[in-house]
Amino acid sequence: MVSSVPLPTSSQPIGEKRVTFHHLNWQAYQQILHALGENRAASLTYNLGILEITMPLEDHEFAARLIELFIRILVVEMGLKIKTMGSTTLEREDLDRSPEPDNAYYIQNQHCVAGRKVDLQHDPPPDLVVEIDITHTDIDKLQLYASLGVPEFWRYNGRIWRIYQWQAGQYQEVESSLTFPFITKENLYDFLEQAQQDEVEAEQAFRAWVRQQVQPS
């Protein structure tokens, strides 16, 4: 059984505003996408006829940016390589799906896409995708990223971090990350809690701790 120790909070925050459209085909989604343009604060997720437009609020952005920093510290201090996709549209017309995750990364497969633009028709999907869903979403994110073949999916709801790995043909919720096996959920909770008071101090403390874990004994 997977246990979760949530980040302490007095009440569940409101992290996003969402507008959802149902029964749209791919062409209608594309028309909306192009009408909104690239210079927009909202993210669009299209999945099998459902289009959700999400406007992130402060709690969402805090979690997304700090988890992004958390991952980069780990990658740098572990001596890994990374290609950051951010909220790039992971468009797959053949699957009738097109998400814009909060964060997406190539780490294990960075060498496959280094130095060029990703083509999801031929390249593997990102190794790690992160979604912040503090408020309810009508999109089945597990189904969505499973269909894209994403090996590891992190989901954070403002209190609880859930880690999903692709195992035996489906996502399994697990306690530790395939990408960063020595990291526990408490590490992220502590990092976010400390960052609420002082982001610089939180970064320095976590970076020093990771260095201690990875240095040769």
Side-chain angles (χ1 to χ4, degrees):
M1 171 149 327
V2 175
S3 62
S4 299
V5 179
L7 182 69
T9 182
S10 57
S11 61
Q12 187 74 350
I14 299 175
E16 308 91 12
K17 293 183 179 179
R18 303 183 192 270
V19 177
T20 306
F21 301 90
H22 294 264
H23 311 298
L24 293 181
N25 60 26
W26 182 264
Q27 289 70 32
Y29 154 65
Q30 288 289 311
Q31 289 175 354
I32 294 173
L33 179 67
H34 293 303
L36 292 175
E38 295 183 358
N39 297 322
R40 51 182 166 83
S43 66
L44 275 64
T45 296
Y46 177 79
N47 183 51
L48 299 176
I50 300 174
L51 173 62
E52 186 171 80
I53 303 175
T54 303
M55 287 70 71
L57 301 177
E58 180 179 342
D59 289 311
H60 179 112
E61 285 298 276
F62 173 82
R65 300 289 75 80
L66 268 295
I67 291 174
E68 182 176 43
L69 176 59
F70 182 83
I71 290 170
R72 181 155 299 268
I73 290 170
L74 287 167
V75 167
V76 171
E77 299 304 333
M78 292 173 66
L80 303 175
K81 294 184 181 296
I82 191 170
K83 180 180 179 69
T84 301
M85 299 293 286
S87 295
T88 300
T89 305
L90 305 179
E91 189 170 287
R92 288 291 303 272
E93 182 178 1
D94 57 320
L95 299 176
D96 201 31
R97 292 175 166 96
S98 182
E100 293 178 354
D102 287 296
N103 301 311
Y105 308 93
Y106 287 91
I107 301 174
Q108 292 91 336
N109 283 315
Q110 184 271 350
H111 64 282
C112 297
V113 294
R116 61 179 179 80
K117 290 186 178 180
V118 171
D119 180 357
L120 289 175
Q121 294 297 326
H122 305 286
D123 293 321
D127 298 302
L128 173 62
V129 164
V130 181
E131 285 274 17
I132 313 301
D133 286 314
I134 296 175
T135 55
H136 172 76
T137 170
D138 286 346
I139 301 288
D140 186 337
K141 297 291 179 70
L142 288 178
Q143 176 204 63
L144 171 58
Y145 290 110
S147 70
L148 296 179
V150 173
E152 184 166 347
F153 174 43
W154 292 7
R155 198 169 192 185
Y156 182 67
N157 69 356
R159 298 181 64 248
I160 297 173
W161 172 28
R162 298 189 185 279
I163 306 170
Y164 298 93
Q165 291 176 9
W166 185 255
Q167 299 177 1
Q170 61 182 340
Y171 274 135
Q172 300 285 345
E173 187 176 353
V174 297
E175 285 291 346
S176 60
S177 167
L178 176 69
T179 311
F180 312 112
F182 65 90
I183 294 299
T184 69
K185 293 182 179 181
E186 285 72 21
N187 293 134
L188 178 63
Y189 297 147
D190 291 344
F191 176 72
L192 293 176
E193 186 174 16
Q194 187 174 7
Q196 289 175 351
Q197 301 302 319
D198 189 328
E199 293 181 22
V200 173
E201 184 177 335
E203 176 181 355
Q204 292 172 337
F206 183 59
R207 191 179 296 276
W209 180 83
V210 175
R211 286 177 180 172
Q212 289 180 343
Q213 308 308 305
V214 301
Q215 67 183 5
S217 56

